[in-house]
Amino acid sequence: MLSVEELTDKLIDLSFAEDIGDGDHTTLCCIPENAMGKSRLIIKEDGILAGVEVAKEVFHRFDPSMHVEVLMGDGSRVKKGDVAMIVTGKVQSLLQTERLMLNIMQRMSGIATMTNHYQQALIDAGTQTRVLDTRKTTPGMRMLEKEAVKIGGGMNHRIGLFDMILLKDNHVDFAGGIHNAISRAKAYCKENHKDLKIEIEVRNFKELEEALAEKPDRIMFDNFTPEDTVIAVKMVNHQCETESSGGITFENMIPYAKAGVDFISFGALTHSVKGLDMSFKATE
């Protein structure tokens, strides 16, 4: 399995390949090879900054001679007009790395900002519920998007299909029920020497009772109402972790959190997020 660093390197290589192709002919035709310059990363709206460390890697991999002065790091609360970094180097390099750096930082910062907005609202409401992401990520960018969730104060649900067992409705139906699904999961882990958490999705109180009898690590209440979630949390009574999912938005999440669930997962953090506006401008 590739490491986070290896996956990031592959993403950067692919991104340059699709953007530059056989050459940035716009830059090459009008900028001398030895021309030197400086650009500033200017923040254009308030939010949480994310992607600084990845941006440094983008610059370094394209041109190791580029110098990056970081003024505001990952997790910084930024406002319109802030300068987050200053980059000095060949003008050709500044121009050819600009868009990839911005694409990554704008998306990661947007995710971090949205996550922080959600998590802070849950804290302000007096709950201890944590915000989780999902696997509804941009193909190839999952590691960066999930890192952005953490920078924003949220938690990663799981990275992929390999680091946790999540038995969803289709798994349960194909396996022939809650008991079969969880018992097979436990047997699989034992036989294959896997130390994986087992989570089960339940759709009603009957399935919840069946799941509790099997002692999973976490139970997800799928499309429960807030009122039903209150009952479900009482039924679980701290026997395992609890999670709410399905149709939950920023506008309706507080009652779910106040019901006492440990986690609420939001696909919107990565599939419906708006990038944080910023620009990379030449300076004297």
Side-chain angles (χ1 to χ4, degrees):
M1 184 175 66
L2 295 176
S3 67
V4 173
E5 292 76 16
E6 290 171 327
L7 287 169
T8 301
D9 287 346
K10 284 182 174 292
L11 171 62
I12 292 172
D13 290 342
L14 176 60
S15 299
F16 277 132
E18 71 179 3
D19 195 33
I20 296 176
D22 70 344
D24 173 9
H25 303 304
T26 307
T27 294
L28 296 176
C29 78
C30 63
I31 304 298
E33 183 179 359
N34 59 353
M36 301 296 289
K38 182 184 298 185
S39 293
R40 300 182 301 162
L41 180 64
I42 303 171
I43 306 302
K44 300 176 73 173
E45 63 179 316
D46 298 355
I48 303 296
L49 191 65
V52 174
E53 293 304 311
V54 183
K56 288 165 60 179
E57 184 63 21
V58 168
F59 293 128
H60 176 76
R61 284 179 66 80
F62 187 82
D63 181 352
S65 71
M66 298 177 80
H67 178 262
V68 182
E69 181 185 359
V70 175
L71 304 178
M72 307 184 80
D74 285 330
S76 297
R77 190 172 293 278
V78 295
K79 61 183 184 299
K80 183 178 180 179
D82 283 342
V83 176
M85 69 173 69
I86 300 173
V87 185
T88 305
K90 294 179 180 179
V91 175
Q92 287 189 355
S93 296
L94 291 171
L95 291 169
Q96 291 178 92
T97 54
E98 173 185 344
R99 179 46 52 195
L100 175 55
M101 177 276 294
L102 285 173
N103 285 348
I104 290 173
M105 287 205 63
Q106 286 182 295
R107 180 153 185 83
M108 288 186 69
S109 297
I111 291 170
T113 299
M114 187 175 183
T115 302
N116 184 264
H117 184 52
Y118 279 51
Q119 186 63 68
Q120 191 58 52
L122 293 179
I123 293 171
D124 291 344
T127 80
Q128 296 183 333
T129 304
R130 298 300 304 274
V131 169
L132 293 179
D133 54 24
T134 69
R135 286 172 51 241
K136 297 174 182 177
T137 55
T138 307
M141 285 195 68
R142 178 174 298 178
M143 294 301 189
L144 303 188
E145 292 180 347
K146 283 183 170 285
E147 178 63 23
V149 168
K150 291 195 295 182
I151 290 171
M155 295 177 64
N156 296 152
H157 189 284
R158 55 176 177 163
I159 300 301
L161 297 173
F162 56 87
D163 59 332
M164 182 180 183
I165 290 178
L166 173 51
L167 301 165
K168 295 180 70 66
D169 52 358
N170 282 337
H171 297 95
V172 170
D173 291 342
F174 280 126
I178 297 284
H179 168 74
N180 286 350
I182 297 180
S183 60
R184 289 175 186 174
K186 289 182 176 180
Y188 175 88
C189 288
K190 184 176 181 180
E191 292 166 5
N192 291 277
H193 308 290
K194 298 287 186 182
D195 184 19
L196 299 173
K197 274 192 170 184
I198 297 174
E199 178 173 8
I200 183 81
E201 179 181 276
V202 299
R203 294 164 284 193
N204 50 57
F205 294 128
K206 180 177 182 298
E207 289 190 342
L208 176 55
E209 289 177 346
E210 294 173 359
L212 286 171
E214 303 298 329
K215 295 180 170 41
D217 297 292
R218 185 185 301 173
I219 295 177
M220 178 193 292
F221 311 133
D222 181 43
N223 286 300
F224 278 41
T225 64
E227 295 75 20
D228 285 346
T229 303
V230 171
I231 298 171
V233 169
K234 289 180 180 178
M235 289 175 62
V236 173
N237 192 28
H238 306 291
Q239 295 177 65
C240 65
E241 295 176 335
T242 56
E243 175 185 343
S244 286
S245 183
I248 304 177
T249 66
F250 181 83
E251 288 71 26
N252 69 8
M253 68 181 182
I254 299 300
Y256 287 94
K258 288 191 172 182
V261 291
D262 298 306
F263 307 101
I264 301 177
S265 52
F266 299 94
L269 296 180
T270 51
H271 72 56
S272 299
V273 71
K274 172 188 172 296
L276 191 73
D277 197 11
M278 58 186 73
S279 61
F280 197 50
K281 293 298 184 182
T283 186
E284 296 297 332

